[in-house]
PDB file of all heavy atoms in Angstrom:
ATOM      1  N   LEU A  61     -16.875  -7.386  49.255  1.00 89.00           N
ATOM      2  CA  LEU A  61     -15.771  -6.709  48.669  1.00 89.00           C
ATOM      3  C   LEU A  61     -14.537  -6.762  49.575  1.00 89.00           C
ATOM      4  O   LEU A  61     -13.400  -6.973  49.121  1.00 89.00           O
ATOM      5  CB  LEU A  61     -16.100  -5.271  48.299  1.00 89.00           C
ATOM      6  CG  LEU A  61     -16.978  -5.089  47.079  1.00 89.00           C
ATOM      7  CD1 LEU A  61     -17.355  -3.600  46.952  1.00 89.00           C
ATOM      8  CD2 LEU A  61     -16.276  -5.560  45.842  1.00 89.00           C
ATOM      9  N   GLU A  62     -14.751  -6.567  50.871  1.00 90.00           N
ATOM     10  CA  GLU A  62     -13.628  -6.571  51.821  1.00 90.00           C
ATOM     11  C   GLU A  62     -13.026  -7.971  51.876  1.00 90.00           C
ATOM     12  O   GLU A  62     -11.809  -8.168  51.902  1.00 90.00           O
ATOM     13  CB  GLU A  62     -14.125  -6.146  53.200  1.00 90.00           C
ATOM     14  CG  GLU A  62     -14.399  -4.671  53.285  1.00 90.00           C
ATOM     15  CD  GLU A  62     -15.010  -4.311  54.621  1.00 90.00           C
ATOM     16  OE1 GLU A  62     -15.348  -5.208  55.459  1.00 90.00           O
ATOM     17  OE2 GLU A  62     -15.191  -3.057  54.854  1.00 90.00           O
ATOM     18  N   ARG A  63     -13.914  -9.033  51.844  1.00 92.00           N
ATOM     19  CA  ARG A  63     -13.436 -10.427  51.854  1.00 92.00           C
ATOM     20  C   ARG A  63     -12.589 -10.717  50.569  1.00 92.00           C
ATOM     21  O   ARG A  63     -11.506 -11.284  50.648  1.00 92.00           O
ATOM     22  CB  ARG A  63     -14.627 -11.362  51.906  1.00 92.00           C
ATOM     23  CG  ARG A  63     -14.237 -12.827  51.961  1.00 92.00           C
ATOM     24  CD  ARG A  63     -15.447 -13.748  51.953  1.00 92.00           C
ATOM     25  NE  ARG A  63     -16.400 -13.473  50.865  1.00 92.00           N
ATOM     26  CZ  ARG A  63     -16.256 -13.914  49.637  1.00 92.00           C
ATOM     27  NH1 ARG A  63     -15.224 -14.696  49.301  1.00 92.00           N
ATOM     28  NH2 ARG A  63     -17.140 -13.642  48.720  1.00 92.00           N
ATOM     29  N   ARG A  64     -13.097 -10.291  49.441  1.00 90.00           N
ATOM     30  CA  ARG A  64     -12.378 -10.479  48.195  1.00 90.00           C
ATOM     31  C   ARG A  64     -11.042  -9.732  48.171  1.00 90.00           C
ATOM     32  O   ARG A  64     -10.031 -10.227  47.669  1.00 90.00           O
ATOM     33  CB  ARG A  64     -13.228 -10.029  47.017  1.00 90.00           C
ATOM     34  CG  ARG A  64     -14.364 -10.959  46.698  1.00 90.00           C
ATOM     35  CD  ARG A  64     -15.123 -10.509  45.508  1.00 90.00           C
ATOM     36  NE  ARG A  64     -16.254 -11.369  45.205  1.00 90.00           N
ATOM     37  CZ  ARG A  64     -17.013 -11.233  44.154  1.00 90.00           C
ATOM     38  NH1 ARG A  64     -16.776 -10.235  43.282  1.00 90.00           N
ATOM     39  NH2 ARG A  64     -18.006 -12.057  43.922  1.00 90.00           N
ATOM     40  N   ALA A  65     -11.048  -8.517  48.728  1.00 89.00           N
ATOM     41  CA  ALA A  65      -9.784  -7.730  48.813  1.00 89.00           C
ATOM     42  C   ALA A  65      -8.745  -8.477  49.648  1.00 89.00           C
ATOM     43  O   ALA A  65      -7.548  -8.510  49.331  1.00 89.00           O
ATOM     44  CB  ALA A  65     -10.055  -6.348  49.372  1.00 89.00           C
ATOM     45  N   ARG A  66      -9.214  -9.057  50.796  1.00 91.00           N
ATOM     46  CA  ARG A  66      -8.298  -9.841  51.648  1.00 91.00           C
ATOM     47  C   ARG A  66      -7.766 -11.067  50.889  1.00 91.00           C
ATOM     48  O   ARG A  66      -6.585 -11.336  50.944  1.00 91.00           O
ATOM     49  CB  ARG A  66      -9.010 -10.298  52.937  1.00 91.00           C
ATOM     50  CG  ARG A  66      -9.113  -9.239  54.004  1.00 91.00           C
ATOM     51  CD  ARG A  66      -9.583  -9.798  55.318  1.00 91.00           C
ATOM     52  NE  ARG A  66     -10.743 -10.675  55.237  1.00 91.00           N
ATOM     53  CZ  ARG A  66     -11.999 -10.263  55.306  1.00 91.00           C
ATOM     54  NH1 ARG A  66     -12.253  -8.982  55.491  1.00 91.00           N
ATOM     55  NH2 ARG A  66     -13.026 -11.108  55.241  1.00 91.00           N
ATOM     56  N   GLN A  67      -8.632 -11.743  50.188  1.00 90.00           N
ATOM     57  CA  GLN A  67      -8.232 -12.912  49.428  1.00 90.00           C
ATOM     58  C   GLN A  67      -7.212 -12.519  48.321  1.00 90.00           C
ATOM     59  O   GLN A  67      -6.197 -13.218  48.132  1.00 90.00           O
ATOM     60  CB  GLN A  67      -9.427 -13.600  48.752  1.00 90.00           C
ATOM     61  CG  GLN A  67     -10.293 -14.359  49.719  1.00 90.00           C
ATOM     62  CD  GLN A  67     -11.539 -14.935  49.013  1.00 90.00           C
ATOM     63  OE1 GLN A  67     -11.857 -14.530  47.911  1.00 90.00           O
ATOM     64  NE2 GLN A  67     -12.220 -15.852  49.690  1.00 90.00           N
ATOM     65  N   LEU A  68      -7.483 -11.407  47.670  1.00 87.00           N
ATOM     66  CA  LEU A  68      -6.557 -10.923  46.655  1.00 87.00           C
ATOM     67  C   LEU A  68      -5.210 -10.575  47.266  1.00 87.00           C
ATOM     68  O   LEU A  68      -4.150 -10.925  46.717  1.00 87.00           O
ATOM     69  CB  LEU A  68      -7.158  -9.718  45.922  1.00 87.00           C
ATOM     70  CG  LEU A  68      -6.306  -9.133  44.811  1.00 87.00           C
ATOM     71  CD1 LEU A  68      -6.121 -10.134  43.688  1.00 87.00           C
ATOM     72  CD2 LEU A  68      -6.992  -7.901  44.243  1.00 87.00           C
ATOM     73  N   SER A  69      -5.226  -9.888  48.406  1.00 85.00           N
ATOM     74  CA  SER A  69      -3.963  -9.567  49.051  1.00 85.00           C
ATOM     75  C   SER A  69      -3.199 -10.843  49.455  1.00 85.00           C
ATOM     76  O   SER A  69      -1.990 -10.893  49.294  1.00 85.00           O
ATOM     77  CB  SER A  69      -4.244  -8.717  50.331  1.00 85.00           C
ATOM     78  OG  SER A  69      -4.826  -7.520  49.973  1.00 85.00           O
ATOM     79  N   GLU A  70      -3.939 -11.847  49.970  1.00 86.00           N
ATOM     80  CA  GLU A  70      -3.303 -13.083  50.350  1.00 86.00           C
ATOM     81  C   GLU A  70      -2.670 -13.776  49.121  1.00 86.00           C
ATOM     82  O   GLU A  70      -1.532 -14.283  49.198  1.00 86.00           O
ATOM     83  CB  GLU A  70      -4.291 -14.033  51.016  1.00 86.00           C
ATOM     84  CG  GLU A  70      -4.748 -13.559  52.391  1.00 86.00           C
ATOM     85  CD  GLU A  70      -5.918 -14.387  52.921  1.00 86.00           C
ATOM     86  OE1 GLU A  70      -6.388 -15.296  52.241  1.00 86.00           O
ATOM     87  OE2 GLU A  70      -6.374 -14.045  54.019  1.00 86.00           O
ATOM     88  N   ARG A  71      -3.401 -13.768  48.017  1.00 83.00           N
ATOM     89  CA  ARG A  71      -2.864 -14.411  46.782  1.00 83.00           C
ATOM     90  C   ARG A  71      -1.622 -13.686  46.280  1.00 83.00           C
ATOM     91  O   ARG A  71      -0.680 -14.272  45.855  1.00 83.00           O
ATOM     92  CB  ARG A  71      -3.945 -14.437  45.720  1.00 83.00           C
ATOM     93  CG  ARG A  71      -5.011 -15.453  45.978  1.00 83.00           C
ATOM     94  CD  ARG A  71      -6.016 -15.471  44.825  1.00 83.00           C
ATOM     95  NE  ARG A  71      -7.107 -16.377  45.144  1.00 83.00           N
ATOM     96  CZ  ARG A  71      -8.229 -16.456  44.445  1.00 83.00           C
ATOM     97  NH1 ARG A  71      -8.421 -15.624  43.394  1.00 83.00           N
ATOM     98  NH2 ARG A  71      -9.168 -17.284  44.761  1.00 83.00           N
ATOM     99  N   GLU A  72      -1.697 -12.321  46.308  1.00 80.00           N
ATOM    100  CA  GLU A  72      -0.533 -11.570  45.872  1.00 80.00           C
ATOM    101  C   GLU A  72       0.672 -11.834  46.787  1.00 80.00           C
ATOM    102  O   GLU A  72       1.789 -11.949  46.303  1.00 80.00           O
ATOM    103  CB  GLU A  72      -0.858 -10.051  45.898  1.00 80.00           C
ATOM    104  CG  GLU A  72      -1.778  -9.623  44.802  1.00 80.00           C
ATOM    105  CD  GLU A  72      -2.162  -8.130  44.889  1.00 80.00           C
ATOM    106  OE1 GLU A  72      -1.919  -7.508  45.942  1.00 80.00           O
ATOM    107  OE2 GLU A  72      -2.714  -7.633  43.903  1.00 80.00           O
ATOM    108  N   ALA A  73       0.406 -11.962  48.072  1.00 79.00           N
ATOM    109  CA  ALA A  73       1.475 -12.281  49.005  1.00 79.00           C
ATOM    110  C   ALA A  73       2.062 -13.649  48.719  1.00 79.00           C
ATOM    111  O   ALA A  73       3.269 -13.868  48.725  1.00 79.00           O
ATOM    112  CB  ALA A  73       0.990 -12.177  50.450  1.00 79.00           C
ATOM    113  N   GLU A  74       1.190 -14.624  48.422  1.00 75.00           N
ATOM    114  CA  GLU A  74       1.649 -15.990  48.087  1.00 75.00           C
ATOM    115  C   GLU A  74       2.485 -15.947  46.835  1.00 75.00           C
ATOM    116  O   GLU A  74       3.522 -16.567  46.741  1.00 75.00           O
ATOM    117  CB  GLU A  74       0.468 -16.909  47.906  1.00 75.00           C
ATOM    118  CG  GLU A  74      -0.233 -17.302  49.199  1.00 75.00           C
ATOM    119  CD  GLU A  74      -1.459 -18.141  48.939  1.00 75.00           C
ATOM    120  OE1 GLU A  74      -1.690 -18.551  47.792  1.00 75.00           O
ATOM    121  OE2 GLU A  74      -2.217 -18.405  49.920  1.00 75.00           O
ATOM    122  N   LEU A  75       1.993 -15.258  45.821  1.00 72.00           N
ATOM    123  CA  LEU A  75       2.735 -15.185  44.526  1.00 72.00           C
ATOM    124  C   LEU A  75       4.058 -14.454  44.729  1.00 72.00           C
ATOM    125  O   LEU A  75       5.046 -14.798  44.122  1.00 72.00           O
ATOM    126  CB  LEU A  75       1.894 -14.466  43.460  1.00 72.00           C
ATOM    127  CG  LEU A  75       0.756 -15.278  42.879  1.00 72.00           C
ATOM    128  CD1 LEU A  75      -0.063 -14.425  41.912  1.00 72.00           C
ATOM    129  CD2 LEU A  75       1.240 -16.546  42.215  1.00 72.00           C
ATOM    130  N   GLY A  76       4.046 -13.398  45.556  1.00 69.00           N
ATOM    131  CA  GLY A  76       5.257 -12.652  45.783  1.00 69.00           C
ATOM    132  C   GLY A  76       6.326 -13.455  46.520  1.00 69.00           C
ATOM    133  O   GLY A  76       7.499 -13.350  46.259  1.00 69.00           O
ATOM    134  N   SER A  77       5.889 -14.297  47.457  1.00 66.00           N
ATOM    135  CA  SER A  77       6.853 -15.049  48.260  1.00 66.00           C
ATOM    136  C   SER A  77       7.116 -16.428  47.626  1.00 66.00           C
ATOM    137  O   SER A  77       8.016 -17.142  48.050  1.00 66.00           O
ATOM    138  CB  SER A  77       6.312 -15.251  49.660  1.00 66.00           C
ATOM    139  OG  SER A  77       5.125 -16.048  49.662  1.00 66.00           O
ATOM    140  N   SER A  78       6.381 -16.805  46.596  1.00 60.00           N
ATOM    141  CA  SER A  78       6.558 -18.114  46.029  1.00 60.00           C
ATOM    142  C   SER A  78       7.818 -18.159  45.134  1.00 60.00           C
ATOM    143  O   SER A  78       8.127 -17.231  44.443  1.00 60.00           O
ATOM    144  CB  SER A  78       5.329 -18.447  45.152  1.00 60.00           C
ATOM    145  OG  SER A  78       5.517 -19.637  44.477  1.00 60.00           O
TER     146      SER A  78
END
Side-chain angles (χ1 to χ4, degrees):
L61 285 174
E62 288 173 355
R63 181 184 52 82
R64 287 183 181 185
R66 280 192 310 272
Q67 288 176 345
L68 181 63
S69 297
E70 290 171 1
R71 286 181 185 170
E72 286 176 348
E74 287 176 8
L75 286 176
S77 66
S78 175

